[in-house]
Amino acid sequence: MQDDTTLLRLHTSLLLHQHPLVAKQLLDFCGDIDHIYPYLKAGNISGIRLPSSLKKVLEAHRRSSYQAHLNYITDWLSQPDCGLVCFDSADYPSQLAQIADPPLILFAHGNLKLLNHPQLAIVGSRNPTHYGRRVTRLFAEEIGKSGIVVTSGMAKGIDSAAHRGALDVGGSTIAVLGTGCDQTYPLENQSLMREIASAGVFLSEFPPGTGPAPSHFPQRNRIVTGMTCGTIVVEARVRSGSLISARLATEQGRGVIAVPGSVLSKQSEGCHYLLREGAQLASSVADVIEALCMSHPELRFHQSSAPVPTPKSLNRDQQRVLDAIDFEPRNIDSIVKQTGMVTTEVMQTLVELELIGFVNVVAGCYQLCRNRMPD
């Protein structure tokens, strides 16, 4: 059985989880999170204009189905590593508390200490190209090695690749859900969710028992960007949830970093749009972390612990292309001829080598970085 304070907060969550702006207004008006539910229950609402959808929820909270849902949540909270993270809690993410519409109550499953570690978000297409997945894994692995937490939204595609990349190198990851923490969504991520539960944390403002809905995911996105120091966008169309995330990050005063892609790929149109609008170019993982360190000094310690990639860690295609490059600039046709690879594969591999700092681009040609001489 939960104590009275927890029950008050669960009532508040059930009533307000789909109305974060109203919830923040009520917190400011009532002065304390525990005064919100009694204020709403009293029915003499005068200080805040409530949306009609919330009024319907208030009417429904006396029904048996509401009580059954409340009982389900209390049972979920009694399980190991499950808990509430409230706005006035020491565990509440300090970055998230600074946005205009922070969730008052979060449900969490996993290592709560990660919530206040330095974080970078990685978001992108649900249907990425092979290039998009490879670049995402590359970034997530290097960020994970640096000690910075990789945060994403647990969707299929780029989100899943980001979580997986961090886990594969023993890094930490946070999955912000558009459902309750008890839900497996998408179903194909069941095994990934089990791994995150043991090595990271799930987070959601939606109470356990809440299934997916289209409106939940844009609402979730503001938490992904709000908890982090910056958001990396990998493959996104101009009209996409990832571009919504980028806009939210900008409004929240967080950095936006875009990964360039092929000019022939519609999947990269959104990233190229962000670059034209002033987003930072993701030229390498080291450059991204260095830029963040300038605006977030707390990241400096974590950056210094990041191992430098070596040629021994490259995959076969990366090594073939690297072997075909010298300190004198070479064009793509020359590299394609020497490697025997398809032009598109060479172009994708060159971008990967550029991102991890082995290759420079000079007037449309490629050359080895002077500080990364192959072993």
Side-chain angles (χ1 to χ4, degrees), residues 184-326:
T184 301
Y185 185 84
L187 289 175
E188 65 197 57
N189 278 347
Q190 189 169 25
S191 61
L192 178 58
M193 291 186 73
R194 284 196 295 267
E195 291 184 52
I196 295 176
S198 61
V201 61
F202 292 115
L203 200 65
S204 179
E205 68 183 311
F206 301 104
T210 305
S215 62
H216 292 179
F217 299 101
Q219 187 174 330
R220 170 210 60 191
N221 290 352
R222 84 189 195 288
I223 300 177
V224 173
T225 57
M227 290 205 302
T228 61
C229 301
T231 296
I232 301 172
V233 184
V234 184
E235 289 197 330
R237 292 178 177 261
V238 173
R239 297 183 182 276
S240 65
S242 300
L243 268 289
I244 293 174
S245 294
R247 175 179 56 78
L248 289 169
T250 301
E251 292 173 353
Q252 294 164 345
R254 312 296 154 79
V256 176
I257 304 109
V259 175
S262 169
V263 295
L264 303 177
S265 173
K266 290 187 176 294
Q267 292 286 53
S268 291
E269 285 180 342
C271 292
H272 297 157
Y273 167 80
L274 292 174
L275 291 169
R276 291 196 301 273
E277 293 297 305
Q280 179 187 340
L281 173 67
S283 54
S284 72
V285 178
D287 286 348
V288 169
I289 295 178
E290 181 180 353
L292 288 169
C293 285
M294 294 177 65
S295 56
H296 298 275
E298 71 273 15
L299 297 184
R300 292 190 185 278
F301 170 79
H302 300 273
Q303 182 194 27
S304 64
S305 65
V308 177
T310 66
K312 293 178 182 178
S313 66
L314 301 180
N315 63 40
R316 181 183 175 187
D317 286 347
Q318 290 167 342
Q319 190 63 62
R320 286 172 66 187
V321 171
L322 192 65
D323 289 342
I325 303 173
D326 206 335

Side-chain angles (χ1 to χ4, degrees), residues 332-353:
I332 288 181
D333 290 341
S334 173
I335 300 170
V336 168
K337 183 177 181 180
Q338 184 167 336
T339 60
M341 296 167 61
V342 177
T343 301
T344 55
E345 292 177 343
V346 170
M347 292 177 65
Q348 291 182 2
T349 304
L350 283 168
V351 172
E352 294 168 8
L353 291 170

Side-chain angles (χ1 to χ4, degrees), residues 100-122:
D101 51 353
L104 300 189
I105 296 164
L106 292 163
F107 296 87
H109 180 200
N111 182 7
L112 298 186
K113 293 180 181 179
L114 294 178
L115 299 182
N116 274 297
H117 281 211
Q119 300 170 43
L120 269 170
I122 301 180

